[in-house]
């Protein structure tokens, strides 16, 4: 079963985020607290949404998908960015990942989103093969850029209008 997450799911969502980070060889980077997730997902202005996959036989949480809307200046339309898709190892192969992606595709269709995009680590061959089996195109000419820590602070210090706030 696929369902929308509730605030009661936050501890399990946090646990799965940490499991995913460990799998992606970056456990030390998964620092989000339950309170941060509660605010980000269920606060006054949610930053993202989450779907939960439950095992039909046991009712246990098998996985999750965390996503948020995005906008394309080229198409002039909204789209979906999938930040995390995770299915617990002992439940893999039962269709939970496919069902989560299908539910997200349905949200895209219902919302008029033209694009459904996410990133995958280049070494994660099982995930790449899975995504390609669903018809996903890997955009190899695009690279993810990231500023964090010192470089982010240094660039922010160069802002022409100190204290401006876009949000």
């Amino acid at each position: 079963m696929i369902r929308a997450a509730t605030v009661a799911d936050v501890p399990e969502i946090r646990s799965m985020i940490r499991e995913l980070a460990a799998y992606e060889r970056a456990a030390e980077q998964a620092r989000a607290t339950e309170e941060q997730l509660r605010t980000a997902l269920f606060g006054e202005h949610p930053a993202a949404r989450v779907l939960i996959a439950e095992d039909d036989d046991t009712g246990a949480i098998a996985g999750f998908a965390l996503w948020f809307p995005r906008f394309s200046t080229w198409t002039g339309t909204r789209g979906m960015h999938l930040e995390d898709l995770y299915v617990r190892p002992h439940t893999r192969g039962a269709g939970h990942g496919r069902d989560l992606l299908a539910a997200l595709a349905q949200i895209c269709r219902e919302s008029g989103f033209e694009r459904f995009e996410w990133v995958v680590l280049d070494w994660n061959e099982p995930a790449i093969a899975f995504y390609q089996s669903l018809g996903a195109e890997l955009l190899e000419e695009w690279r993810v850029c990231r500023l964090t820590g010192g470089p982010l602070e240094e660039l922010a210090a160069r802002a022409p209008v100190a204290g401006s706030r876009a949000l």
Side-chain angles (χ1 to χ4, degrees):
M1 178 176 81
I2 305 298
R3 63 173 177 80
T6 68
V7 71
D9 293 316
V10 167
E12 282 292 317
I13 293 167
R14 181 176 183 267
S15 178
M16 289 186 288
I17 289 169
R18 295 177 65 78
E19 291 169 31
L20 174 60
Y23 175 76
E24 291 184 349
R25 306 172 189 162
E28 70 285 350
Q29 294 178 37
R31 300 184 321 256
T33 66
E34 286 184 23
E35 185 56 37
Q36 287 174 313
L37 292 171
R38 202 171 288 109
T39 299
L41 301 175
F42 302 102
E44 188 175 342
H45 301 287
R49 297 182 182 140
V50 177
L51 293 181
I52 297 289
E54 288 183 348
D55 185 271
D56 289 335
D57 296 329
T58 66
I61 294 179
F64 80 107
L66 187 145
W67 68 276
F68 52 86
R70 58 184 304 171
F71 180 76
S72 170
T73 57
W74 290 12
T75 66
T77 60
R78 293 179 72 163
M80 176 183 288
H81 176 80
L82 174 61
E83 179 67 18
D84 287 330
L85 174 70
Y86 180 72
V87 176
R88 289 183 157 142
H90 67 279
T91 66
R92 291 182 186 155
H96 300 298
R98 182 199 62 233
D99 290 349
L100 282 164
L101 289 171
L104 293 170
Q106 176 68 15
I107 292 169
C108 287
R109 188 171 69 185
E110 290 172 355
S111 302
F113 294 173
E114 264 190 43
R115 293 180 177 170
F116 177 17
E117 298 176 332
W118 61 94
V119 297
V120 61
L121 291 166
D122 62 359
W123 58 259
N124 194 345
E125 293 180 18
I128 291 168
F130 170 61
Y131 297 146
Q132 288 176 322
S133 77
L134 298 175
E137 173 187 9
L138 270 70
L139 304 176
E140 297 191 25
E141 67 276 12
W142 291 90
R143 297 284 189 252
V144 175
C145 298
R146 175 181 293 161
L147 280 174
T148 187
L152 176 62
E153 293 300 321
E154 290 170 22
L155 184 59
R158 294 181 174 178
V161 180
S164 67
R165 189 172 159 110
L167 298 176

